[in-house]
Amino acid sequence: MAGATQIITPEKVRQLQITLYRKAKAQPRYRFWSLYGELLRLDVLESALEAQFRNDGGAGVDGESLASVKSKRQWWLEQLREELRTKRYRPSAVRRVMIPKRSGGERPLGIPTVKDRVVQTALYMVLMPIWEADFHSQSYGFRPKRRAHQAIDGICQAVHQGYVEIIDADLSNYFGTIPHRELMKMVARRVSDGSVLRLIKSWLRAPVVEEDKDGTKRVVLNRCGTPQGGVISPLLANVYLNPLDHGVNQRCVGQARMFRYADDFVIACRAGRGGEVRGRTKRWLEAKGLKLNETKTRVVDIRQEGINFLGFNLTWRQSRKGRKYLHVEPSQGSRTALRTHLRGILNHWTLWKPIAEVVEEANAVLRGWSGYFHFRNSTSVMGSLKRYSRDRLRRWLWRKHACKGGLWTRYPDERLHDHYGLYVLPTTAAWKAAR
């Protein structure tokens, strides 16, 4: 999935977004024809640049960093605004890097230049409220005030209402296979401003610069797809799958419910309907130039077999009081990823680092992990990983100080937390914490 950019909008920009949203909501077939001028507003561009400073991304193919832009901020913004006003702005190529996937292998990530990211963010701020009026309520990825936990809650509710046959779907390279022509047709159903359409088209067609391990660079033409890493890519990806959200949830009322987070989605069906809905979904995707990953897509009865979704494992269980419920806890892959990350921080090759620096690095990982995974039935898993984090730090300190004995007496749990400041993973039930 593509990363999200945090955007804090000033009041005037917020009022613009509210106006656009209300217009789009009131007139579902209205095509917005005068949007490019909003892109030239200095407050919009300033908000877009500030969002990039908070996101702290890397440099693109031109080598320009956010630090260098910060030193000449006002002049840089004025130059960019003038390029947009005179329509001299042209997107640069996208720098491609490979990042490891949790499930194994690597995922391509496209890094636009700082200038391109700022312009994309500015246009995102203008276009987002228009499509927010159109998006289905059960689409949760990269949308304001929506998060993965809401999708999990929706699945739990559907299962308890009898939608027990689950289509655990996986799209093959979704971001890299979206057809440009079909996507632009869908964009044009809401936007008739030619300047905006040309801008989006130029980002989609921007070439990609790949670099081999030996430093050899090559330029690859981008004939389809929207690069993961582009600020506007998640919005465009949501636009393209929005008809599927509405199709499943409105045409299969009482038979199926779809819950989507970007390119990850689950369809909960009534018993016996999973095969039929899967076939219809597959045909729709193929008609749109997309493809289901047949090896990873499956239909299961959640009462017999669990699924993994958005880093969580969902299984049907029975409570001590005999009540059946959908148990939600961090998946085995998510736990392994945390352990692997902690092993990389607390290992023999980091013994030379100051203790405070290493502990803070480990704490940042633990806080981020618990902030996402401390949800529903995570208590037992949190307790196990709390013990693991203590043990890793305890043994790291023991080696750093070249101790010969007294591992547990020298570094008891209380000292690890009170003296060294190790973050304590929460073990209170998530529903109690929410109350």
Side-chain angles (χ1 to χ4, degrees):
M1 296 178 288
T5 299
Q6 293 183 350
I7 302 174
I8 299 175
T9 54
E11 183 59 29
K12 286 186 177 180
V13 178
R14 180 65 182 150
Q15 288 303 316
L16 167 65
Q17 292 178 326
I18 291 172
T19 301
L20 292 171
Y21 175 84
R22 288 175 175 171
K23 179 71 173 179
K25 198 69 174 176
Q27 300 185 37
R29 298 194 177 188
Y30 183 80
R31 298 177 70 208
F32 291 80
W33 56 273
S34 182
L35 296 174
Y36 193 80
E38 308 297 346
L39 189 64
L40 304 180
R41 288 175 46 162
L42 195 56
D43 54 354
V44 171
L45 291 173
E46 285 177 341
S47 299
L49 179 57
E50 192 60 39
Q52 292 308 311
F53 288 143
R54 283 191 297 274
N55 205 42
D56 194 26
V61 294
D62 61 355
E64 186 174 48
S65 66
L66 284 165
S68 65
V69 171
K70 208 165 194 174
S71 63
K72 52 183 178 182
R73 174 175 181 155
Q74 201 57 40
W75 175 86
W76 190 90
L77 271 178
E78 290 173 358
Q79 292 296 311
L80 175 58
R81 184 169 181 264
E82 185 62 18
E83 281 187 38
L84 290 168
R85 188 188 67 81
T86 57
K87 298 188 178 177
R88 291 183 291 108
Y89 165 80
R90 296 292 182 274
S92 301
V94 175
R95 180 168 70 92
R96 175 173 290 170
V97 297
M98 305 302 292
I99 58 174
K101 295 169 65 176
R102 184 178 297 172
S103 58
E106 294 182 316
R107 182 194 304 274
L109 181 68
I111 303 179
T113 62
V114 174
K115 181 187 291 186
D116 290 341
R117 296 204 300 268
V118 170
V119 180
Q120 285 189 27
T121 304
L123 188 57
Y124 167 85
M125 292 165 63
V126 174
L127 294 180
M128 178 272 294
I130 296 173
W131 278 308
E132 270 298 307
D134 296 340
F135 289 156
H136 196 276
S137 60
Q138 286 171 203
S139 166
Y140 300 94
F142 306 110
R143 296 181 59 190
K145 299 181 180 180
R146 292 179 178 270
R147 59 190 189 278
H149 295 167
Q150 294 170 318
I152 301 293
D153 284 337
I155 295 171
C156 291
Q157 183 182 26
V159 169
H160 284 286
Q161 292 175 351
Y163 295 81
V164 294
E165 201 161 272
I166 305 294
I167 303 173
D168 184 9
D170 185 84
L171 290 177
S172 297
N173 188 22
Y174 172 59
F175 280 85
T177 56
I178 301 175
H180 289 171
R181 178 174 294 183
E182 294 301 319
L183 174 59
M184 289 306 301
K185 285 181 180 178
M186 296 186 69
V187 172
R189 290 174 187 169
R190 268 304 200 180
V191 178
S192 63
D193 189 322
S195 297
V196 170
L197 293 174
R198 282 190 293 272
L199 200 55
I200 296 173
K201 196 173 186 178
S202 67
W203 286 327
L204 292 174
R205 292 186 173 179
V208 176
V209 176
E210 297 179 339
E211 185 172 351
D212 297 330
K213 293 181 179 179
D214 61 1
T216 304
K217 294 182 180 180
R218 60 180 177 274
V219 178
V220 180
L221 297 179
N222 188 29
R223 302 188 184 279
C224 66
T226 177
Q228 287 183 272
V231 178
I232 206 165
S233 293
L235 178 63
L236 296 177
N238 275 336
V239 168
Y240 200 64
L241 281 183
N242 187 48
L244 179 63
D245 298 330
H246 286 275
V248 174
N249 288 300
Q250 292 176 1
R251 295 181 185 177
C252 301
V253 174
Q255 300 300 321
R257 295 181 188 175
M258 177 172 166
F259 305 91
R260 183 173 64 84
Y261 191 98
D263 57 338
D264 293 324
F265 65 90
V266 156
I267 303 177
C269 308
R270 295 289 185 187
R273 299 302 301 272
E276 176 194 344
V277 175
R278 171 180 170 159
R280 292 170 63 181
T281 303
K282 179 182 177 181
R283 290 191 294 273
W284 187 93
L285 291 168
E286 289 176 347
K288 296 295 183 180
L290 306 174
K291 187 178 180 182
L292 273 178
N293 187 329
E294 296 291 345
T295 60
K296 293 184 179 180
T297 299
R298 60 200 184 111
V299 180
V300 301
D301 187 327
I302 197 66
R303 297 169 297 184
Q304 306 297 326
E305 185 178 357
I307 64 168
N308 289 329
F309 186 58
L310 303 178
F312 290 95
N313 177 251
L314 287 68
T315 53
W316 190 248
R317 296 190 186 181
Q318 181 173 308
S319 70
R320 293 177 181 176
K321 296 181 179 181
R323 182 179 64 87
K324 299 284 188 178
Y325 74 103
L326 194 61
H327 185 90
V328 178
E329 66 181 16
S331 68
Q332 192 61 54
S334 302
R335 302 179 221 175
T336 300
L338 177 62
R339 292 190 185 100
T340 301
H341 207 157
L342 289 177
R343 281 199 301 270
I345 296 170
L346 299 165
N347 214 310
H348 63 276
W349 57 74
T350 63
L351 291 174
W352 60 273
K353 291 185 177 181
I355 295 174
E357 179 183 328
V358 172
V359 171
E360 183 51 42
E361 189 177 351
N363 284 348
V365 173
L366 290 168
R367 286 192 194 97
W369 198 89
S370 67
Y372 180 74
F373 287 106
H374 185 220
F375 176 66
R376 283 193 170 254
N377 316 108
S378 62
T379 301
S380 176
V381 172
M382 288 290 174
S384 172
L385 291 171
K386 180 171 68 173
R387 292 188 292 273
Y388 180 84
S389 64
R390 287 170 174 169
D391 192 53
R392 289 303 306 185
L393 179 59
R394 178 181 291 114
R395 294 181 183 279
W396 185 85
L397 291 167
W398 189 75
R399 289 172 183 161
K400 183 175 180 66
H401 293 148
C403 299
K404 294 184 179 179
L407 174 65
W408 293 90
T409 56
R410 186 182 292 269
Y411 302 110
D413 293 344
E414 293 77 14
R415 190 179 183 198
L416 296 177
H417 297 298
D418 298 340
H419 180 72
Y420 293 104
L422 179 65
Y423 177 75
V424 184
L425 283 172
T427 52
T428 304
W431 67 271
K432 289 183 180 178
R435 291 178 66 188

